[in-house]
Amino acid sequence: MTRMSITNISKTATVGDAPLISRTLARAFDDDPMMRWFFPDDASREAGLCRYFTTIFTRQYVHHGVCERTEAAAAFWVPPEAQTKAVPDAETIQELQNILGDRAPLFRDTVETAAKHTPQQPHWYLAVIGADPAARGQGHGAALLRSGLATADAAGLPAYLESSKPSNLPFYEHFGFTVREELRLPGDGPALWAMWREPRHPADA
């Protein structure tokens, strides 16, 4: 077995993984148009993203989602029965506002815009997925995506995500997602692509 095949096996993420996960996702999203919009300062972006991902992971998704990681990637999924719980409480909102500073209103408007377009049909929601750029092409993101989709397929449920990076669309399309809608974020923000995937039977996956 090669080193690559060992390190990109997905594992359940725990609170203790927060430092690794936040660093990984900060690097993964450094060139993401939406995150650059939220964190426009190049010098402080990585630190801001680390704080942001630490907060949403430790306060939301590790408690109400299915969080998995490899050595160089992480993904946060939310099953349909947990989607009303996997939202920030007042303390978390305040923490995010502190992290985002004067960009907090843009973040709030973005979350509200996306929420208006969230499908009402029960589905598995891929809230976050990212791989360290140094490990891209080694299958880390694909391993996490396959793991989550296998769970959704086993339940006979579709999957939904929002992508803010156009170059990632072909990657998701390869796994069966199709663009459901293109959203323009408020305040002259970047585009956001809502993507949907119908469940597959094991023989079709």
Side-chain angles (χ1 to χ4, degrees):
M1 184 178 286
T2 66
R3 183 177 182 276
M4 183 190 306
S5 62
I6 294 172
T7 57
N8 66 10
I9 295 173
S10 61
K11 308 170 186 177
T12 299
T14 66
V15 172
D17 295 320
L20 171 64
I21 285 174
S22 63
R23 287 194 303 270
T24 296
L25 292 175
R27 293 171 185 148
F29 282 87
D30 181 73
D31 63 347
D32 181 271
M34 187 170 71
M35 289 305 179
R36 283 181 166 259
W37 188 50
F38 292 149
F39 298 94
D41 182 50
D42 291 341
S44 62
R45 183 178 304 114
E46 183 171 349
L49 285 170
C50 277
R51 291 176 64 199
Y52 169 79
F53 285 115
T54 296
T55 298
I56 64 171
F57 172 63
T58 60
R59 297 188 61 88
Q60 290 175 245
Y61 294 113
V62 77
H63 301 293
H64 303 295
V66 176
C67 300
E68 294 188 320
R69 69 168 183 87
T70 67
E71 295 304 312
F76 308 158
W77 292 84
V78 186
E81 65 273 12
Q83 286 169 15
T84 58
K85 300 176 183 177
V87 294
D89 57 21
E91 188 174 341
T92 304
I93 290 171
Q94 183 60 57
E95 192 169 333
L96 291 172
Q97 288 177 336
N98 294 340
I99 294 168
L100 288 153
D102 61 3
R103 312 299 281 183
L106 296 176
F107 177 79
R108 181 200 62 220
D109 292 346
T110 296
V111 171
E112 291 177 355
T113 298
K116 291 176 184 176
H117 296 267
T118 300
Q120 297 303 303
Q121 178 182 346
H123 62 275
W124 275 72
Y125 173 52
L126 178 55
V128 176
I129 187 169
D132 190 319
R136 282 183 186 157
Q138 296 180 13
H140 290 270
L144 293 175
L145 195 53
R146 286 193 188 96
S147 177
L149 291 176
T151 303
D153 287 343
L157 289 171
Y160 177 71
L161 63 84
E162 297 125 353
S163 177
S164 50
K165 190 173 180 181
S167 61
N168 284 344
L169 301 185
F171 173 73
Y172 296 126
E173 289 169 346
H174 175 75
F175 287 91
F177 284 90
T178 58
V179 174
R180 177 186 178 115
E181 191 173 5
E182 180 178 341
L183 311 177
R184 178 61 63 176
L185 297 180
D188 294 324
L192 191 67
W193 287 271
M195 304 190 75
W196 182 260
R197 178 187 181 273
E198 291 292 340
R200 295 180 176 179
H201 299 293
D204 301 328

